[in-house]
Amino acid sequence: MGSKDELIEMFFSEGAILFGRFVLTSGKESDYYINVKKLITNPKALKLIAELMKEKTEELGIEFDRVAGPELGAVPIATALSLETGKSLVIVRKKPKGHGTGSQIEGEVKPGDRVLLVEDVTTTGGSVLRSAEVLEKEGAEVAAILVVVDREEGARENLADYRFVPLVTVSELFARRGSVED
């Protein structure tokens, strides 16, 4: 079984944290960028993330019927967690598709379903909040929102109506970076 320390280590060994000037999805500028996609395209890291998320739900007693992830970054995470837990997978599109059923959800969500929503990185939490609202419109209950990394820039506050659980915070990543540079 992998550990949180092993995950933090992988951010550095896999080059998933970069320093420089970046514009984030939220439109904010930042002097660092967390590229969780670099981790989730590595099978070992993806498996570790799924194991840690499963462990976290058990530890906190979070009960859920389905695992959901907004496209794109969260889809591999949700898929890996679905395989790890045996729970059905749901993918939340950014916007309803313009053909076929026009649905914004791939996979089945029934009223009353408890859905565990996963995300790669949260800054303000805006995109994961939109996904939560899409699921709730279908009658689902968001059991919790589990993220790989929280940048600690408002997501916890903006998602206060939900159980918000980051595997790792930016402070923890920076504490590790500091110990390397000392």
Side-chain angles (χ1 to χ4, degrees):
M1 226 11 158
S3 70
K4 180 174 171 170
D5 287 341
E6 191 183 342
L7 178 62
I8 289 172
E9 196 53 56
M10 277 184 165
F11 272 92
F12 294 92
S13 64
E14 298 298 312
I17 181 159
L18 304 168
F19 298 91
R21 281 182 61 80
F22 304 93
V23 177
L24 309 175
T25 311
S26 61
K28 289 174 127 176
E29 280 200 6
S30 176
D31 53 5
Y32 67 94
Y33 178 65
I34 295 172
N35 187 357
V36 177
K37 288 166 193 71
K38 188 107 187 210
L39 282 187
I40 61 179
T41 51
N42 168 327
K44 188 172 179 244
L46 182 59
K47 184 162 178 46
L48 174 61
I49 288 167
E51 286 171 356
L52 290 173
M53 284 187 163
K54 181 181 183 214
E55 233 169 72
K56 190 61 92 174
T57 62
E58 289 167 354
E59 180 192 311
L60 298 174
I62 298 168
E63 293 185 9
F64 57 99
D65 308 301
R66 302 181 187 284
V67 179
E71 63 170 345
L72 175 78
V75 172
I77 299 166
T79 305
L81 189 55
S82 168
L83 290 167
E84 192 69 34
T85 60
K87 306 283 186 180
S88 297
L89 172 67
V90 176
I91 298 168
V92 184
R93 293 175 173 275
K94 285 188 174 82
K95 43 184 178 284
K97 61 182 185 178
H99 59 281
T101 58
S103 174
Q104 199 165 346
I105 291 179
E106 297 301 334
E108 192 182 24
V109 175
K110 296 194 291 282
D113 279 350
R114 295 166 303 178
V115 179
L116 178 67
L117 185 54
V118 301
E119 181 61 294
D120 56 355
V121 183
T122 48
T123 301
T124 60
S127 54
V128 79
L129 181 59
R130 285 190 293 279
S131 295
E133 289 165 350
V134 167
L135 291 164
E136 288 168 340
K137 232 185 331 209
E138 295 295 316
E141 174 201 324
V142 176
I145 295 173
L146 220 62
V147 301
V148 180
V149 185
D150 178 30
R151 289 179 56 104
E152 300 174 292
E153 292 180 41
R156 180 171 295 285
E157 296 72 15
N158 294 334
L159 299 169
D161 292 344
Y162 300 92
R163 192 163 190 190
F164 177 69
V165 184
L167 286 184
V168 179
T169 62
V170 154
S171 316
E172 291 170 316
L173 285 177
F174 281 6
R176 157 66 181 66
R177 179 188 181 212
S179 67
V180 170
E181 292 175 350
D182 290 347

